[in-house]
Amino acid sequence: MVQLTRIYTRGGDTGRTSLGNGTRVPKHALRVEAYGTVDETNAVLGIARLHTAGSAEDAMLMRIQNDLFDLGADLCVPPAEGEEASEMPALRIVADQVERLEREIDSMNADLTPLKSFVLPGGAPAAAQLHLARTVCRRAERCITALAETEAVNPEAIRYINRLSDHLFVLARYVNAQGPGDVLWVPGGNR
């Protein structure tokens, strides 16, 4: 378990930070941008949870928030050859976490009517926040896939963030099915 006794270290005062393996990099490095945007996704989900307290949806979001910390831990330690054999291997996103998202998506989607148009972000307050989280999640995915073009990234991390944005979309629709409903795009509706 992590124990934090000092919050500030002054180590970043020159614009550099340490990755989980101790390597010093610029704070604007793509890897830092990737796990920072994952952290931002997590923060937006925290706001969404203000509207889902005590529900099954809230339990899903709590698991996802924990997974996002796992994802941040995964991204802050670049994969190294032979790391699985080490005494303390880095924390990595695994297929089971992706598959849980898929099962939840399928379960929620089974109760929803098929879409006949694109969905505008909105509806219930929880749904609106989930749509915001989805867009931040998509930005995190863009950061992670850009990073993967130049540095090693756990493939399950990419699968997880891709599936998570789908999950958040379906969850927003699911929340709206018990409230005001989806707000649908009407192409050219204001001409």
Side-chain angles (χ1 to χ4, degrees), residues 124-182:
Q129 286 293 324
L130 289 166
H131 280 296
L132 177 59
R134 173 187 54 79
T135 64
V136 176
C137 181
R138 283 287 188 207
R139 183 160 31 92
E141 181 181 12
R142 291 189 299 272
C143 291
I144 294 168
T145 57
L147 174 65
E149 288 196 3
T150 60
E151 298 182 40
V153 172
N154 172 12
E156 292 300 329
I158 297 171
R159 287 184 63 222
Y160 184 89
I161 199 73
N162 182 45
R163 209 68 78 248
L164 178 58
S165 59
D166 297 333
H167 187 290
L168 296 174
F169 175 77
V170 173
L171 182 54
R173 290 200 65 221
Y174 188 78
V175 167
N176 270 339
Q178 290 129 26
D182 288 325

Side-chain angles (χ1 to χ4, degrees), residues 28-108:
H28 60 271
L30 196 49
R31 185 169 295 278
V32 177
E33 182 71 23
Y35 67 73
T37 309
V38 167
D39 188 36
E40 186 180 352
T41 304
N42 206 340
V44 176
L45 288 178
I47 296 169
R49 289 188 64 205
L50 294 173
H51 304 287
T52 62
S55 67
E57 295 81 16
D58 191 55
M60 277 191 257
L61 291 173
M62 186 172 69
R63 285 190 299 272
I64 289 167
Q65 283 191 294
N66 198 80
D67 283 353
L68 288 174
F69 259 81
D70 290 354
L71 179 56
D74 184 324
L75 292 169
C76 86
V77 179
E81 200 170 309
E83 73 178 25
E84 302 84 22
S86 84
E87 277 186 40
M88 296 270 306
L91 181 61
R92 299 287 177 216
I93 292 290
V94 296
D96 286 347
Q97 289 168 294
V98 177
E99 291 159 10
R100 188 196 73 241
L101 290 177
E102 291 173 350
R103 285 190 306 274
E104 291 174 353
I105 290 168
D106 293 342
S107 176
M108 290 183 291

